Amino acid sequence: MDTPPPLLFALDLTGTFVFGLNGALTALRATHLDVVGVVTLGMMTALGGGVIRDILIGAIPPATFLYWPYFTLALAGALIAFVLNRPLARFEMSLTTLDAVGLSVFAVIGASKAVAAGLGAGPAVALGVITAVGGGTIRDLMVGQVPTVLRSELYAIPALVAAAITVAALGTDTYGLPAAMGAVTACFVIRMLGVRYQLNAPRPPGQSRGTPEPGM
């Protein structure tokens, strides 16, 4: 398996762990699942986007099932969330910050893998976004919620920006660790500004921020 530069690879593994943690915590807040349900949803959050990407580019079996740290870290994050869900609730902002790191790195790595598989710019950007938000979308649908990506403070848009920067850098032969980290940083900053100031993507005319959403 080809791996990204060490720093990106470390962040990728960190993102996998944090997505497993956050996915399980979200499942615990939304449902009354047992340990099997919570761990399953946590692991889907951490691994789902990458599995979808790998299947779409024909990388079979997906990297998740070939490289043990991904599976192990996703499982560990989900189990820790199940056991320590109450203490972890005190660190929600810290977990949101780490979640933004995972979102950013997954978008960059997803887009770069798509380009390496021979996809054009548009599909590669789309797969970068899918890698970043796919797992969380699966989780939300399984617990009967409107997916976070469709309603949260600038979630898909930061991933889109990071994926686009990555694809542009690859297309101009300027991709390397500085460009990758620049894309990660752009995504992270936009995401955290959205959280801090409760910024959202434009809504339909006439719909206020407080309008109830289906399933909420």
Short mmCIF file of all heavy atoms in Angstrom, two decimals, residues 162-191:
data_model
loop_
_atom_site.label_atom_id
_atom_site.label_comp_id
_atom_site.label_asym_id
_atom_site.label_seq_id
_atom_site.Cartn_x
_atom_site.Cartn_y
_atom_site.Cartn_z
N ALA A 162 -10.46 22.01 0.27
CA ALA A 162 -9.22 21.25 0.42
C ALA A 162 -9.00 20.31 -0.75
O ALA A 162 -7.89 20.20 -1.28
CB ALA A 162 -9.26 20.44 1.72
N ALA A 163 -10.05 19.63 -1.19
CA ALA A 163 -9.93 18.71 -2.32
C ALA A 163 -9.58 19.47 -3.60
O ALA A 163 -8.75 19.01 -4.40
CB ALA A 163 -11.23 17.94 -2.50
N ALA A 164 -10.18 20.63 -3.79
CA ALA A 164 -9.91 21.42 -5.00
C ALA A 164 -8.47 21.92 -5.02
O ALA A 164 -7.80 21.90 -6.06
CB ALA A 164 -10.88 22.60 -5.07
N ILE A 165 -7.96 22.37 -3.88
CA ILE A 165 -6.57 22.82 -3.80
C ILE A 165 -5.63 21.65 -4.11
O ILE A 165 -4.65 21.81 -4.85
CB ILE A 165 -6.26 23.40 -2.40
CG1 ILE A 165 -7.03 24.70 -2.19
CG2 ILE A 165 -4.75 23.64 -2.24
CD1 ILE A 165 -6.92 25.23 -0.76
N THR A 166 -5.94 20.49 -3.58
CA THR A 166 -5.11 19.30 -3.81
C THR A 166 -5.08 18.94 -5.29
O THR A 166 -4.01 18.69 -5.86
CB THR A 166 -5.66 18.11 -3.00
OG1 THR A 166 -5.66 18.46 -1.61
CG2 THR A 166 -4.82 16.87 -3.22
N VAL A 167 -6.24 18.90 -5.92
CA VAL A 167 -6.32 18.54 -7.34
C VAL A 167 -5.61 19.58 -8.20
O VAL A 167 -4.89 19.23 -9.15
CB VAL A 167 -7.79 18.38 -7.77
CG1 VAL A 167 -7.91 18.22 -9.28
CG2 VAL A 167 -8.41 17.17 -7.06
N ALA A 168 -5.76 20.85 -7.86
CA ALA A 168 -5.09 21.90 -8.61
C ALA A 168 -3.57 21.77 -8.50
O ALA A 168 -2.83 21.93 -9.48
CB ALA A 168 -5.54 23.27 -8.12
N ALA A 169 -3.08 21.48 -7.30
CA ALA A 169 -1.64 21.32 -7.10
C ALA A 169 -1.11 20.11 -7.87
O ALA A 169 -0.03 20.17 -8.48
CB ALA A 169 -1.33 21.18 -5.61
N LEU A 170 -1.86 19.03 -7.86
CA LEU A 170 -1.45 17.84 -8.61
C LEU A 170 -1.45 18.11 -10.11
O LEU A 170 -0.57 17.66 -10.84
CB LEU A 170 -2.38 16.67 -8.29
CG LEU A 170 -2.18 16.03 -6.91
CD1 LEU A 170 -3.38 15.17 -6.52
CD2 LEU A 170 -0.90 15.18 -6.90
N GLY A 171 -2.43 18.90 -10.56
CA GLY A 171 -2.53 19.20 -11.99
C GLY A 171 -1.43 20.11 -12.48
O GLY A 171 -1.11 20.12 -13.68
N THR A 172 -0.83 20.88 -11.59
CA THR A 172 0.24 21.80 -11.97
C THR A 172 1.62 21.32 -11.51
O THR A 172 2.59 22.08 -11.53
CB THR A 172 -0.02 23.20 -11.38
OG1 THR A 172 -0.19 23.10 -9.95
CG2 THR A 172 -1.29 23.80 -11.99
N ASP A 173 1.67 20.06 -11.08
CA ASP A 173 2.93 19.46 -10.61
C ASP A 173 3.57 20.22 -9.47
O ASP A 173 4.80 20.30 -9.36
CB ASP A 173 3.92 19.33 -11.77
CG ASP A 173 3.47 18.32 -12.81
OD1 ASP A 173 2.86 17.31 -12.42
OD2 ASP A 173 3.71 18.55 -14.01
N THR A 174 2.76 20.81 -8.61
CA THR A 174 3.29 21.53 -7.44
C THR A 174 2.87 20.84 -6.13
O THR A 174 3.06 21.41 -5.05
CB THR A 174 2.79 22.99 -7.42
OG1 THR A 174 1.35 23.00 -7.42
CG2 THR A 174 3.31 23.75 -8.62
N TYR A 175 2.33 19.64 -6.26
CA TYR A 175 1.86 18.95 -5.06
C TYR A 175 3.04 18.36 -4.28
O TYR A 175 3.93 17.74 -4.85
CB TYR A 175 0.89 17.83 -5.42
CG TYR A 175 0.30 17.13 -4.21
CD1 TYR A 175 -0.71 17.73 -3.46
CD2 TYR A 175 0.75 15.87 -3.82
CE1 TYR A 175 -1.26 17.10 -2.36
CE2 TYR A 175 0.20 15.23 -2.72
CZ TYR A 175 -0.80 15.85 -1.99
OH TYR A 175 -1.33 15.21 -0.89
N GLY A 176 3.01 18.57 -3.02
CA GLY A 176 4.01 18.04 -2.10
C GLY A 176 3.51 18.30 -0.70
O GLY A 176 2.36 18.73 -0.50
N LEU A 177 4.34 18.09 0.29
CA LEU A 177 3.90 18.29 1.66
C LEU A 177 3.43 19.73 1.92
O LEU A 177 2.38 19.92 2.55
CB LEU A 177 5.00 17.91 2.64
CG LEU A 177 4.61 17.99 4.12
CD1 LEU A 177 3.40 17.09 4.42
CD2 LEU A 177 5.78 17.61 5.01
N PRO A 178 4.14 20.78 1.44
CA PRO A 178 3.64 22.15 1.67
C PRO A 178 2.26 22.38 1.08
O PRO A 178 1.39 22.97 1.74
CB PRO A 178 4.70 23.02 0.99
CG PRO A 178 5.95 22.20 1.02
CD PRO A 178 5.49 20.79 0.80
N ALA A 179 2.04 21.92 -0.15
CA ALA A 179 0.73 22.11 -0.78
C ALA A 179 -0.34 21.32 -0.03
O ALA A 179 -1.47 21.81 0.18
CB ALA A 179 0.78 21.68 -2.25
N ALA A 180 -0.01 20.10 0.35
CA ALA A 180 -0.97 19.27 1.07
C ALA A 180 -1.34 19.91 2.41
O ALA A 180 -2.52 19.96 2.79
CB ALA A 180 -0.40 17.87 1.29
N MET A 181 -0.34 20.40 3.13
CA MET A 181 -0.62 21.02 4.42
C MET A 181 -1.36 22.34 4.24
O MET A 181 -2.16 22.73 5.09
CB MET A 181 0.69 21.24 5.18
CG MET A 181 1.35 19.96 5.66
SD MET A 181 0.23 18.88 6.61
CE MET A 181 -0.22 19.95 7.97
N GLY A 182 -1.11 23.03 3.14
CA GLY A 182 -1.87 24.25 2.84
C GLY A 182 -3.34 23.94 2.64
O GLY A 182 -4.22 24.65 3.14
N ALA A 183 -3.62 22.84 1.92
CA ALA A 183 -5.01 22.43 1.71
C ALA A 183 -5.66 22.01 3.03
O ALA A 183 -6.82 22.35 3.31
CB ALA A 183 -5.05 21.28 0.70
N VAL A 184 -4.91 21.26 3.84
CA VAL A 184 -5.42 20.85 5.15
C VAL A 184 -5.74 22.07 6.01
O VAL A 184 -6.79 22.15 6.65
CB VAL A 184 -4.40 19.94 5.86
CG1 VAL A 184 -4.75 19.76 7.33
CG2 VAL A 184 -4.31 18.58 5.17
N THR A 185 -4.82 23.03 6.01
CA THR A 185 -5.00 24.23 6.82
C THR A 185 -6.21 25.04 6.37
O THR A 185 -7.00 25.52 7.20
CB THR A 185 -3.74 25.11 6.77
OG1 THR A 185 -2.62 24.36 7.25
CG2 THR A 185 -3.91 26.36 7.61
N ALA A 186 -6.40 25.17 5.06
CA ALA A 186 -7.54 25.91 4.53
C ALA A 186 -8.85 25.28 4.98
O ALA A 186 -9.77 25.97 5.45
CB ALA A 186 -7.47 25.97 3.01
N CYS A 187 -8.94 23.97 4.87
CA CYS A 187 -10.15 23.26 5.29
C CYS A 187 -10.38 23.45 6.79
O CYS A 187 -11.50 23.74 7.22
CB CYS A 187 -10.03 21.79 4.93
SG CYS A 187 -11.45 20.78 5.42
N PHE A 188 -9.33 23.26 7.57
CA PHE A 188 -9.45 23.36 9.01
C PHE A 188 -9.92 24.75 9.45
O PHE A 188 -10.83 24.88 10.27
CB PHE A 188 -8.11 23.04 9.66
CG PHE A 188 -8.10 23.15 11.16
CD1 PHE A 188 -8.59 22.12 11.95
CD2 PHE A 188 -7.62 24.29 11.78
CE1 PHE A 188 -8.60 22.22 13.33
CE2 PHE A 188 -7.63 24.40 13.16
CZ PHE A 188 -8.12 23.37 13.94
N VAL A 189 -9.33 25.78 8.88
CA VAL A 189 -9.67 27.15 9.28
C VAL A 189 -11.12 27.46 8.92
O VAL A 189 -11.88 28.03 9.73
CB VAL A 189 -8.71 28.16 8.61
CG1 VAL A 189 -9.22 29.59 8.79
CG2 VAL A 189 -7.31 28.02 9.19
N ILE A 190 -11.54 27.09 7.70
CA ILE A 190 -12.92 27.37 7.29
C ILE A 190 -13.90 26.62 8.19
O ILE A 190 -14.93 27.16 8.61
CB ILE A 190 -13.13 26.99 5.82
CG1 ILE A 190 -12.27 27.87 4.91
CG2 ILE A 190 -14.60 27.14 5.42
CD1 ILE A 190 -12.23 27.41 3.46
N ARG A 191 -13.60 25.37 8.46
CA ARG A 191 -14.49 24.57 9.32
C ARG A 191 -14.61 25.17 10.71
O ARG A 191 -15.71 25.31 11.25
CB ARG A 191 -13.97 23.12 9.41
CG ARG A 191 -14.65 22.25 10.44
CD ARG A 191 -16.12 22.07 10.16
NE ARG A 191 -16.76 21.25 11.17
CZ ARG A 191 -18.00 21.39 11.59
NH1 ARG A 191 -18.78 22.33 11.07
NH2 ARG A 191 -18.52 20.59 12.50
#
